[in-house]
Amino acid sequence: MTYRALLIGNSVFDSDAGLNPLNAPTKDVARLHRALVQPGTGLFADEHVRLITERTSDEILDELDLFFAGARRDDLLLLYYSGHGLLDERNHFYLCGRTTRSDRLLRTAVSNVRINEFLQHSVARSTVIILDCCSSGMFKGGDLGTPLAGPGRFVVSSSRGRDLANDAATPTGTSLFTESLVAGMLGAAEDRNHDGYVDLREIFDYVRDTLTATSKQIPHCRFDGDAAVKLARRPVAAPVPMRPDRTGEPAFTLSENAVVLRDVHPSERLDPEVIEIYPLSGETLECRAETDATWLRPQIQGHRLIVHLEPVPGPNRGKILIRDLGSQSVRTLRVEVHVTPVTAKDGPSAHPVPPPEVHRPADPEQASHTQPASYSQPTEPASSPDRNPPVEPGPPGMQPEPPWSVRPTPWPGSFADVGPDVGDPNSAAGAEAENKAKIAFTLAISALPAAVLCPYVGGIVGIIALVFVKRAANSGVVLPDPVRKRLRTTRILSYVSIALNVAVAAFLIVPPLFSK
């Protein structure tokens, strides 16, 4: 069995002034993430826990789709959300994203109907849903269990009915519900059957007893079965602390623990990824970023991690360690970028890729603050045969074109096919080609009035002009841009004169035939 989790936290809601900002959600997902992967008690591997914060409703739907569609039958799925939760007049429940508007919930929020659709199409037999949702301001609420109940689902909510629950009182705190949930998973919940694990029922009982004893908040659950779903380990006969041990707890968390980009085109230039750094205490952070992946260039700017991406064709995987120099707390950001390789059918020129722009701070002192000491920036970006093919020398006196500068291939019969780019334009052949271009242009100019005055003569002159254009184009030299433009103009004029000649001839021949 593989344990997989999707943790969603939204604390800001830009599109609706009635949805007040919250203190807890980004810290809630960080605390719960730590509890799920804690060595000794956690059952979740870090690579199977997806943490996302401050997302729009559409982005949340995308994450839900990937999460449930990628599950296998024996997987145990845990979906957690902390943020605003709203009910409409039909008792439909909605998760709020960054762009949610309370007057347009159906379009701008994530409804329980959509979540149910994802659950119904998932092959996983067991799904745990934990919702710590806000209604407004400093309080939380909503009747959450009923709309999401179903076979194989275990729903836990922070309150029952339309009751309210407390949000965090400080910007660096967590909600009472999530704080009790984390405490129960880390050791406070009792292993009543002494099997070495605590299940969802044992954890919920601890959370309910703790909240009812310290507040007026009453959590709610709706289980399909006895809820014997193991969520944490317990060493047999080990002492159980009543509160979670905060020793060694990270002083900060990240808005995301993984960045995954798929189906990236080789010619696509990726924008830098921006990861927010949230402090979990009142202490000042002094973070540095370190990585061994040469295609990643991380920079710390205030409370943000800026990651510049320079992937090569194929799969690219790397890790970035973010370390606080004061507390020595370390968080890991996993980065995966899958670039579509160039196929033999496409050829090397089908996907021209310019070299990535390298942004380096001009001030060396500034660079020392933004780049870690252990991170060595390569002098030149790494290259591969597909991205940076060697540039062959061109004709004397000419600058070689870069490998990504590709001249478009003309379609058959187009006006762009006016000569190959080979040979020396200053040679005798080049002078001869330029003379032929001049003769062809003169003939084309003369063919226009001749087509009207002497129809047959005008057509013949136009055809002769086309012959000189063809000879100039096939002269085997690099034609200067003015000459190439003149050849294009000559070809157009020749075609016009021939068409005009045909029209005039038809006007002279056809009417007499009908008059007879």
Side-chain angles (χ1 to χ4, degrees):
M1 176 185 291
T2 302
Y3 285 71
R4 303 178 185 273
L6 176 62
L7 312 181
I8 306 172
N10 265 49
S11 60
V12 294
F13 307 88
D14 302 327
S15 300
D16 194 329
L19 298 176
N20 296 335
L22 302 170
N23 292 325
T26 55
K27 290 77 181 178
D28 287 343
V29 294
R31 302 274 193 210
L32 183 57
H33 173 246
R34 171 177 173 259
L36 295 178
V37 302
Q38 179 74 10
T41 58
L43 293 174
F44 291 76
D46 186 65
E47 60 268 20
H48 294 151
V49 179
R50 176 76 167 143
L51 184 152
I52 61 173
T53 60
E54 315 299 10
R55 296 302 183 91
T56 66
S57 300
D58 289 338
E59 291 172 336
I60 292 176
L61 286 172
D62 288 340
E63 294 289 347
L64 290 172
D65 185 17
L66 294 174
F67 179 63
F68 286 110
R72 293 174 293 185
R73 182 170 178 78
D74 293 332
D75 290 347
L76 184 142
L77 305 182
L78 188 152
L79 172 63
Y80 172 88
Y81 174 84
S82 178
H84 275 304
L86 299 177
L87 289 170
D88 64 11
E89 63 277 1
R90 298 183 179 180
N91 208 37
H92 290 166
F93 171 68
Y94 295 86
L95 301 180
C96 295
R98 187 161 189 161
T99 55
T100 294
R101 288 176 48 179
S102 55
D103 59 339
R104 297 183 59 196
L105 290 176
L106 191 62
R107 172 61 185 89
T108 63
V110 181
S111 69
N112 63 278
V113 176
R114 297 299 304 274
I115 299 176
N116 271 321
E117 291 175 346
F118 289 126
L119 289 167
Q120 291 168 2
H121 286 83
S122 175
V123 299
R125 290 184 294 184
S126 299
T127 303
V128 177
I129 304 173
I130 303 177
L131 301 170
D132 193 359
C133 298
C134 306
S135 56
S136 64
M138 293 285 289
F139 301 95
K140 302 184 174 181
D143 184 8
L144 314 180
T146 302
L148 294 176
R153 305 178 196 175
F154 307 89
V155 183
V156 177
S157 60
S158 60
S159 61
R160 59 196 312 176
R162 294 181 179 271
D163 296 340
L164 300 177
N166 295 321
D167 184 28
T170 63
T172 59
T174 55
S175 69
L176 294 178
F177 173 79
T178 299
E179 184 71 15
S180 301
L181 175 67
V182 170
M185 298 185 69
L186 291 179
E190 181 183 359
D191 177 17
R192 292 194 290 261
N193 59 0
H194 305 288
D195 62 347
Y197 295 92
V198 287
D199 58 33
L200 181 59
R201 169 62 69 178
E202 293 167 338
I203 292 176
F204 175 77
D205 289 345
Y206 169 79
V207 173
R208 181 193 57 201
D209 295 342
T210 301
L211 291 183
T212 54
T214 58
S215 69
K216 296 181 180 181
Q217 181 177 347
I218 302 176
H220 179 65
C221 70
R222 187 180 180 92
F223 297 154
D224 177 38
D226 58 1
V229 179
K230 299 180 177 63
L231 289 183
R233 293 188 181 93
R234 286 291 179 273
V236 179
V240 178
M242 293 306 298
R243 299 298 298 172
D245 182 12
R246 295 280 182 95
T247 304
E249 183 175 352
F252 67 95
T253 187
L254 305 177
S255 60
E256 298 184 47
N257 63 343
V259 174
V260 180
L261 302 177
R262 302 184 183 278
D263 299 328
V264 177
H265 195 275
S267 62
E268 182 177 353
R269 189 182 301 277
L270 299 176
D271 294 330
E273 293 288 330
V274 180
I275 310 298
E276 299 290 341
I277 301 175
Y278 298 117
L280 298 178
S281 63
E283 299 180 1
T284 303
L285 298 177
E286 186 179 355
C287 296
R288 299 182 68 180
E290 307 170 2
T291 183
D292 293 331
T294 57
W295 62 279
L296 294 175
R297 293 193 296 109
Q299 293 180 343
I300 300 294
Q301 296 182 4
H303 283 181
R304 288 184 175 181
L305 170 65
I306 313 296
V307 183
H308 298 272
L309 308 174
E310 300 175 357
V312 298
N316 300 263
R317 296 181 177 89
K319 291 184 179 181
I320 300 175
L321 300 181
I322 299 90
R323 186 187 309 275
D324 176 36
L325 300 182
S327 63
Q328 293 300 313
S329 299
V330 178
R331 304 296 287 178
T332 302
L333 176 69
R334 295 184 294 107
V335 185
E336 294 185 17
V337 179
H338 299 266
V339 180
T340 306
V342 179
T343 62
K345 179 179 179 180
D346 296 333
S349 63
H351 303 291
V353 182
E357 296 181 0
V358 180
H359 303 280
R360 297 185 176 88
D363 186 4
E365 183 177 358
Q366 179 186 356
S368 64
H369 289 290
T370 57
Q371 294 289 350
S374 60
Y375 174 70
S376 58
Q377 176 68 41
T379 304
E380 296 182 356
S383 62
S384 66
D386 290 335
R387 295 188 61 186
N388 294 319
V391 181
E392 297 184 0
M398 295 188 63
Q399 293 292 334
E401 291 187 355
W404 58 89
S405 178
V406 179
R407 190 181 300 279
T409 302
W411 60 90
S414 69
F415 299 126
D417 184 17
V418 292
D421 289 348
V422 293
D424 186 359
N426 297 322
S427 62
E432 182 181 355
E434 188 171 355
N435 290 332
K436 291 179 180 178
K438 292 179 180 179
I439 295 174
F441 183 74
T442 303
L443 291 174
I445 292 294
S446 304
L448 287 175
V452 178
L453 301 177
C454 303
Y456 303 105
V457 175
I460 295 174
V461 172
I463 294 174
I464 296 175
L466 288 177
V467 172
F468 276 93
V469 170
K470 188 67 175 178
R471 290 183 178 180
N474 294 335
S475 59
V477 298
V478 178
L479 299 177
D481 286 340
V483 177
R484 296 172 68 90
K485 292 179 181 178
R486 183 180 299 169
L487 289 178
R488 293 190 184 97
T489 304
T490 302
R491 181 170 291 180
I492 294 173
L493 293 175
S494 299
Y495 285 145
V496 170
S497 64
I498 293 174
L500 184 61
N501 178 86
V502 173
V504 173
F507 178 77
L508 296 176
I509 296 175
V510 173
L513 295 178
F514 284 97
S515 62
K516 294 179 181 179

